[in-house]
Amino acid sequence: MEQEKISDHRDLKLVALLLAIGVVVFQLSMAAKGYSITRDQHLATAIWYAKGNIDLLNPILPGFNANGSPTPLEFPIWQALTAALMKRFGIWYGWGNVVSLAFMLSTVALLFDLARRIYSERVAWWTAVFALAQPLNIIVGGQAGGDSTAWALAVCFIYSAYRMMEKCSWGWWAAAAVTGSLSAIVKAPFFMTVGLTAFFWLLLKHRLSVTAWIQLALAGIVSMAVFVVWNEHAHRLYALAEFPLVNMDILGKESGGIAEWYFGTIHYRLTPMNWIRGGWYFMCYVVGNFGLVFLALAAVRLRKISEVWLWILAAVCTTMVFTPLILSHTHYFFVFSSAFALLCASAAHAFEDGAWQRLQLNVFGRFVLVMAAIVFSLAETTQTIHFTQLFDPWKDESARIIKEYTAPTDKIVVWGAVWCDPFARCERDGLTGGFSTKNIGWLNDPKKLARLKELGYTRLVLMNPSPYLVALTIATGTQRERAMNLAEELPDAAKNWPVLFSSPQILILQIPK
């Protein structure tokens, strides 16, 4: 009788439903109150599209370069969909959250069906619960940015590849080829993870199937061909940029260029602090509650979960290739998130029968116990990830000041804010001069300064980081954010320029003609 009660899964269905509703309500209520969780480099392109034409081949990244040439960092699927909603219903950052939530929930649905097919329906429901309870999905998965869309495409590929290899179906091959191609040109590290996973699963389950080998190889060839064509197009556009924020030449040797960002150096890999930081991100955003490490460790003794371990192995391989990209950015930990949810689900399923028999709990009792554990787990997580920073008003406040002390026709060059901040928020065109005020020295070059003036730049803006983030990093001992004396950071060429606004946080100067 007890087994029949567990087999209907009503306890986990209710937990998963409440978690899904909770994530949606959280993201949209934050957006409605003016605290939309965003990635400005994605959102700014969506707003640009919404105000003009949606051109998938020539996306603009406001502030990335001085002459406004296209900057296709990735194929702008999320940006285009968000812009379509903004065109129809008006510009509101929350539309970006709506698109991201749709993709995040579709990822959970595909992961659920994958777990159901590989293991059981009970494991599938546990997988959905653990996925929806991950801070990475709650915060990054629903933010107004393209990361959850990129991961959804990757999961679509691994799901399609699994179905393709199981049935040797050419219909599923087509789905794998399309989603693999899109995944590769949106976020290559995500595609590498699921591509390796599919290859490992082929070796595990279908190594004797000639059709499966041919289909997976063809899907990979098509995806990589699209990837090569897209990157060739992208680099032709990168060559048009004047004063780009980053050297986008993947083969370039320049320090701080995109190649170093993507792949890093041996020294980076041998620096323990980088791995400690990455491990902390993993624990906070993927594991969530440190107590869940017990499930991961207990899963080591489980049999018949090779698919999960191979997925984790693929994520580790990706990390070893794109080391700085993943260890330094929380959103890239999506490569581990789905596999970890599956791992915890397998362990929970293996141990739950004994636990429920000892506790003698009915469906409602099991629901209450699981839900309470998740709620208290997330309460702990809000502290470890400094949840209060989501309410920091500095981006909007700084944009308001810039908007007040510049004209709509002004073009501004900014130091101290990056990746489209503050251009979309202050509704001004301009250039990010460097990653910090320490990168302002090039303004002393008479030829470069003359070119800026020729391009119509009329205002120089220096910004300090958010006072909240400065205080937070000092309190945590990292001091990664520091407030500078902005007047002292000015290059010699700008020492005598007219000051339009001055505060400890923002300095705005007029660039003389």
Side-chain angles (χ1 to χ4, degrees):
M1 183 65 179
E2 186 64 25
Q3 184 61 37
E4 291 177 359
K5 291 180 180 178
I6 292 179
S7 66
D8 64 18
H9 317 303
R10 284 181 294 169
D11 49 351
L12 298 185
K13 288 178 181 178
L14 187 55
V15 172
L17 176 62
L18 290 180
L19 285 173
I21 293 173
V23 173
V24 172
V25 170
F26 163 68
Q27 288 283 352
L28 297 187
S29 64
M30 288 286 286
K33 294 177 181 178
Y35 296 106
S36 180
I37 304 172
T38 68
R39 285 196 70 200
D40 283 1
Q41 64 264 47
H42 296 164
L43 183 63
T45 299
I47 293 173
W48 183 280
Y49 277 162
K51 292 180 177 180
N53 297 318
I54 298 176
D55 186 346
L56 292 175
L57 297 180
N58 297 283
I60 299 296
L61 201 64
F64 188 85
N65 57 56
N67 57 326
S69 63
T71 307
L73 288 179
E74 58 191 33
F75 191 66
I77 296 175
W78 177 89
Q79 293 87 333
L81 292 173
T82 300
L85 288 177
M86 289 180 173
K87 281 179 174 289
R88 178 66 179 83
F89 300 106
I91 294 178
W92 176 52
Y93 294 177
W95 294 125
N97 300 106
V98 169
V99 174
S100 295
L101 286 166
F103 277 103
M104 187 272 288
L105 293 175
S106 69
T107 301
V108 175
L110 288 172
L111 190 60
F112 169 87
D113 196 53
L114 193 62
R116 182 182 66 83
R117 292 175 181 277
I118 297 175
Y119 300 115
S120 68
E121 188 171 352
R122 186 68 178 177
V123 171
W125 281 110
W126 273 116
T127 301
V129 167
F130 282 115
L132 289 166
Q134 285 178 348
L136 188 64
N137 277 320
I138 294 172
I139 296 175
V140 181
Q143 76 174 0
D147 301 308
S148 62
T149 303
W151 185 240
L153 291 170
V155 172
C156 280
F157 170 79
I158 192 62
Y159 179 84
S160 300
Y162 175 82
R163 298 295 301 276
M164 175 191 74
M165 291 185 291
E166 282 288 300
K167 303 292 185 181
C168 290
S169 165
W170 287 100
W172 283 110
W173 173 85
V178 170
T179 54
S181 299
L182 291 174
S183 177
I185 61 179
V186 174
K187 269 190 172 41
F190 287 3
F191 177 66
M192 178 180 176
T193 301
V194 293
L196 279 175
T197 302
F199 175 69
F200 292 155
W201 287 2
L202 175 64
L203 292 177
L204 178 69
K205 295 287 189 180
H206 308 286
R207 56 185 174 272
L208 299 180
S209 172
V210 175
T211 303
W213 277 96
I214 292 174
Q215 288 180 326
L216 187 60
L218 287 176
I221 290 170
V222 169
S223 299
M224 291 310 299
V226 172
F227 175 77
V228 169
V229 171
W230 170 256
N231 277 275
E232 178 64 25
H233 166 71
H235 285 280
R236 282 200 300 269
L237 295 179
Y238 295 150
L240 303 176
E242 296 188 60
F243 307 114
L245 176 62
V246 180
N247 172 22
M248 298 301 297
D249 182 4
I250 197 70
L251 300 177
K253 303 296 184 181
E254 177 184 328
S255 176
I258 201 68
E260 185 175 321
W261 272 24
Y262 281 175
F263 307 114
T265 61
I266 296 297
H267 178 265
Y268 184 94
R269 289 166 171 80
L270 295 178
T271 303
M273 186 53 65
N274 294 327
W275 294 97
I276 292 172
R277 181 177 63 247
W280 179 253
Y281 286 160
F282 175 80
M283 293 299 295
C284 291
Y285 285 88
V286 177
V287 179
N289 183 276
F290 287 19
L292 287 180
V293 172
F294 160 75
L295 284 177
L297 293 175
V300 172
R301 295 187 58 84
L302 296 180
R303 299 179 179 179
K304 298 182 180 180
I305 60 168
S306 299
E307 292 88 351
V308 179
W309 291 116
L310 290 174
W311 196 338
I312 293 174
L313 175 61
V316 171
C317 292
T318 302
T319 303
M320 296 309 297
V321 174
F322 298 96
T323 308
L325 198 65
I326 292 176
L327 296 186
S328 300
H329 302 91
T330 55
H331 54 275
Y332 274 100
F333 281 86
F334 273 119
V335 298
F336 289 97
S337 63
S338 297
F340 189 80
L342 270 168
L343 187 69
C344 290
S346 301
H349 175 58
F351 302 133
E352 69 170 328
D353 284 347
W356 299 145
Q357 287 175 11
R358 282 184 172 274
L359 294 173
Q360 295 293 308
L361 293 175
N362 58 18
V363 172
F364 181 74
R366 294 196 301 271
F367 157 73
V368 170
L369 190 62
V370 173
M371 197 70 212
I374 291 172
V375 169
F376 284 107
S377 169
L378 292 175
E380 173 194 317
T381 302
T382 59
Q383 298 302 309
T384 58
I385 65 174
H386 304 295
F387 179 76
T388 51
Q389 67 182 305
L390 298 178
F391 299 91
D392 184 1
W394 173 241
K395 284 187 175 182
D396 289 328
E397 177 62 19
S398 59
R400 183 193 63 77
I401 293 172
I402 294 171
K403 193 171 184 178
E404 181 177 348
Y405 288 90
T406 61
T409 54
D410 282 329
K411 295 180 72 174
I412 62 176
V413 55
V414 177
W415 278 268
V418 296
W419 296 119
C420 301
D421 179 25
F423 303 103
R425 295 174 188 267
C426 70
E427 300 177 343
R428 297 292 183 268
D429 191 13
L431 165 69
T432 302
F435 280 96
S436 73
T437 55
K438 296 297 183 183
N439 307 121
I440 200 172
W442 65 266
L443 207 59
N444 286 320
D445 186 325
K447 292 183 179 179
K448 292 180 179 180
L449 180 56
R451 180 56 181 159
L452 276 183
K453 293 180 181 180
E454 185 181 344
L455 290 169
Y457 283 84
T458 56
R459 299 291 184 266
L460 182 148
V461 179
L462 269 63
M463 299 173 60
N464 264 320
S466 158
Y468 175 83
L469 288 181
V470 171
L472 182 62
T473 56
I474 291 175
T476 57
T478 60
Q479 293 186 310
R480 295 180 66 184
E481 303 286 355
R482 295 174 180 268
M484 313 298 292
N485 184 321
L486 298 178
E488 293 180 358
E489 297 298 309
L490 285 172
D492 292 339
K495 292 290 187 183
N496 297 318
W497 291 357
V499 176
L500 303 179
F501 178 83
S502 179
S503 76
Q505 294 304 123
I506 296 182
L507 179 62
I508 303 177
L509 279 68
Q510 177 180 330
I511 300 176
K513 296 182 179 179

